Amino acid sequence: MLTSQSSSVAADRQTVLERLNRLIAAVARSNEFQRERLDGVFLDSVDDLRQIRPIDKDDLLRDQQAYPPFGRNLTYAAQQYVHLHQTSGTSGSTLRVLDTDEDWDWWRGCMHDVFAAAGVGPSDLVALAYSFGPYIQFWASYVGAGAVGANRIALGGMDSVQRLETIREYSASALVCTPSYAVRLAKVADQRGLSDALSSVRRIICTGEPGASLPVVRAQIEALWQARCFDHAGLSEVGPFGYPCAEGGGVHVNEREFVVEIVAPGSEDPVAAGEPGELILTAIGRTGFPAIRYRTGDVVECCETPCPAGHTDRWLPGGILGRTDDMAVIRGMNVFPSAIEQVLREFDEIGEFRITYYTEPTAMDEVKVEVELAQPTQGRAIQARLRTRLGLRVRIVPLKPGILPTPSGKTRRVIDMRQVPGRRLAAGRGSG
Ligand SMILES: [Zn+2]
C-alpha cells in the first residue's frame, strides 16, 4: 500500500513539475511583467521554484499604476481575455484581474472541487447570496456549483427578506455567502417571521472571512440553520486554492493545482509544522494572468497530522487565520483577530465588533475591542476569558447594538493605530 501510494505521489510530483515548466516557458516568452523573473528558468524539481523571487499584490498594483489600466502581467494579447474582475487593494486602490476562456475553465475546475468536497451535486439547488459586481466570488461560485451539476439561483439585487422568500419558494438546498451574512440572514428570518425559509437548506458554503473555520462561528451557523457549514478559500489574483474538509473542518490546499509554501512573514524561510506563516502560492494551471510564487498575505497554520478523512493535501484546520496586515505583535504575543473573534462568539448576544491596536502614552502597545453587547456587564467576563485564552490583556469597550456597521462582503474589523507598527507576526508565539 505504502509503495503504491508513494509512487503515485511521485507521479503527481512529476506531472506538477512538467506543468510548471510548460507554464514558466509560456509566461517567460510573452509576459513582460514576469519575464525578468522567469527568463531562462527551468526547474529540475518542484522545490527549484524557490529560486524565483516572490511577488505580492503591491507589485501587481504598482505595475497597473505604471501601465494602466491592466498592467503588463498578461501572457496573451488583449483580445484573448474574456473575464475582467476587480479586487480591492491596500489604500483603496483597485487591482484588475483578467482571465482567458482557458483560465476560466481552470477556475471552474477548482471550484468544482470546492462544491464536490462540500457534498453538493445534481440534486441541489444552490442560492448565491452575493451582490452582483466586479468581484469574482459570485461568478466563480456560480460556475463551480454548475460544474457539479447543481441548479443555481442568483440572489444579487435582492434585500435579505426577498432572498429568504426566494430560498423558501424554491426550497433551495444550499446557500453560498460570507459567514457573517449567514448569521445575519438567519437573524432576519427570525425577526421577520420567515424562519421556515431556513428549513430546506442543508449546506452553507462560506468564504471571504475566517468565520467558517472558527469552530464557534461554524457551530453558530449550523445551529441557526440546522445545516452543515463549509469553508473554502481563494483570491482573485491567484485562484480558488482551498476546498473544505467535510470531516475535519477547515480547508485543504488543492495541491493538484497549486504549489504551496508557508513562510515566516517578511522572509522566504519555511515555518516549522504547526506554526503560523504566510501562504505563498503558485497557480499551476493559470497562464493568462499568472500567479507564480505569489505572496498571498493570508496567514495559515498547517496541521501535520492527517485529517480524519485521510486527504493527502495540506490541511489548514483553522482555514485562513487572517491577513498579515491584520495581525500584530503586542508585547511579544501574536494577536490574531480570528482568535479574538472565536472568544467573542462564545458569548451570547454579541453583535458586531472592531479591533484596534494602539499605543498608550507610556509607549506600550495595547489592544482594544469595541463590541456590541445586549448586556454591557458581559464586558468583564469577555475580558477575563480573552486574558486566559490569549495570555493578553485586551480592553473591552461595550457598545449598544447597531452602532458598528453591518458587515457586507469582506468586512474589515481591524484598525492599526500604533505609533510604531513594528513586525506583524513573531514566529512561534502564536495566540491563535
Ligand atoms: Zn480532509
Side-chain angles (χ1 to χ4, degrees):
M1 262 317 269
L2 200 66
T3 318
S4 75
Q5 198 180 19
S6 45
S7 70
S8 95
V9 169
D12 290 348
R13 270 314 253 190
Q14 188 57 32
T15 310
V16 165
L17 180 62
E18 285 164 15
R19 289 177 67 202
L20 281 172
N21 275 320
R22 278 202 300 277
L23 170 74
I24 289 169
V27 170
R29 208 177 302 131
S30 55
N31 185 308
E32 266 186 76
F33 178 76
Q34 303 276 354
R35 188 179 295 145
E36 182 226 332
R37 291 197 307 148
L38 301 181
D39 207 20
V41 171
F42 183 86
L43 313 179
D44 291 317
S45 75
V46 174
D47 292 338
D48 283 353
L49 260 184
R50 296 209 188 112
Q51 300 163 6
I52 302 169
R53 177 174 56 84
I55 59 160
D56 62 17
K57 196 172 196 169
D58 286 339
D59 294 316
L60 292 174
L61 283 166
R62 271 194 297 272
D63 178 61
Q64 293 195 345
Q65 276 150 15
Y67 301 89
F70 300 127
R72 300 171 301 157
N73 187 29
L74 302 172
T75 306
Y76 303 110
Q79 56 267 35
Q80 294 212 207
Y81 293 86
V82 294
H83 296 268
L84 164 57
H85 294 104
Q86 290 181 190
T87 178
S88 52
T90 48
S91 64
S93 45
T94 294
L95 181 71
R96 290 107 188 175
V97 176
L98 301 179
D99 281 294
T100 62
D101 229 356
E102 195 185 3
D103 286 351
W104 193 245
D105 271 348
W106 171 81
W107 269 91
R108 185 173 183 270
C110 296
M111 289 301 295
H112 166 282
D113 296 350
V114 169
F115 282 93
V120 176
S123 58
D124 282 293
L125 174 63
V126 181
L128 294 124
Y130 289 120
S131 55
F132 298 128
Y135 303 108
I136 208 162
Q137 195 52 55
F138 164 75
W139 309 97
S141 300
Y142 186 77
V143 294
V148 295
N151 202 352
R152 300 151 289 175
I153 176 83
L155 307 180
M158 296 184 192
D159 64 23
S160 294
V161 168
Q162 290 168 323
R163 285 172 170 173
L164 287 163
E165 286 168 349
T166 307
I167 289 168
R168 181 171 63 184
E169 184 176 2
Y170 300 126
S171 299
S173 57
L175 172 68
V176 181
C177 60
T178 61
S180 49
Y181 192 73
V183 172
R184 179 170 146 73
L185 201 53
K187 289 185 174 165
V188 172
D190 183 45
Q191 288 156 5
R192 304 297 285 267
L194 285 164
S195 293
D196 58 338
L198 310 188
S199 63
S200 60
V201 173
R202 302 262 175 276
R203 293 181 165 77
I204 300 178
I205 297 104
C206 291
T207 192
E209 300 161 3
S213 285
L214 299 178
V216 170
V217 176
R218 188 168 65 222
Q220 185 189 19
I221 293 171
E222 293 190 336
L224 286 167
W225 285 83
Q226 293 293 298
R228 289 287 318 274
C229 174
F230 303 90
D231 196 6
H232 69 108
L235 290 166
S236 315
E237 68 276 31
V238 179
F241 58 82
Y243 63 88
C245 182
E247 280 189 46
V251 298
H252 288 284
V253 179
N254 179 346
E255 292 195 68
R256 271 158 291 111
E257 297 302 331
F258 295 87
V259 179
V260 194
E261 301 166 64
I262 303 172
V263 300
S267 85
E268 290 181 47
D269 305 329
V271 295
E275 301 232 329
E278 182 182 4
L279 199 55
I280 293 185
L281 290 172
T282 296
I284 305 164
R286 191 182 197 183
T287 313
F289 190 94
I292 297 168
R293 286 208 90 207
Y294 184 80
R295 280 189 175 278
T296 60
D298 281 341
V299 176
V300 299
E301 208 171 280
C302 182
C303 180
E304 289 301 291
T305 319
C307 80
H311 295 121
T312 53
D313 283 342
R314 220 91 52 109
W315 184 30
L316 315 174
I320 307 301
L321 298 173
R323 304 278 305 160
T324 48
D325 296 346
D326 287 346
M327 317 242 151
V329 183
I330 303 287
R331 301 195 295 280
M333 295 295 296
N334 281 329
V335 178
F336 288 77
S338 56
I340 294 176
E341 177 171 4
Q342 164 80 18
V343 172
L344 293 178
R345 300 287 184 209
E346 289 169 16
F347 290 84
D348 292 333
E349 314 224 4
I350 294 279
E352 267 308 301
F353 66 94
R354 184 163 63 197
I355 299 167
T356 306
Y357 308 129
Y358 65 103
T359 307
E360 287 279 16
T362 56
M364 289 286 276
D365 287 340
E366 300 287 343
V367 191
K368 170 176 84 173
V369 180
E370 294 159 285
V371 55
E372 294 175 356
L373 295 175
Q375 304 155 350
T377 48
Q378 268 190 327
R380 199 164 287 179
I382 294 172
Q383 197 158 313
R385 198 174 298 178
L386 281 168
R387 172 116 214 189
T388 319
R389 204 70 67 74
L390 311 185
L392 192 70
R393 181 178 67 248
V394 175
R395 203 174 102 210
I396 295 291
V397 181
L399 298 176
K400 281 186 189 152
I403 286 184
L404 293 170
T406 300
S408 62
K410 293 192 180 191
T411 307
R412 200 166 173 87
R413 294 187 166 111
V414 181
I415 300 169
D416 193 345
M417 297 180 65
R418 287 173 297 165
Q419 281 162 10
V420 184
R423 237 151 65 83
R424 299 291 186 188
L425 194 62
R429 301 178 71 182
S431 61

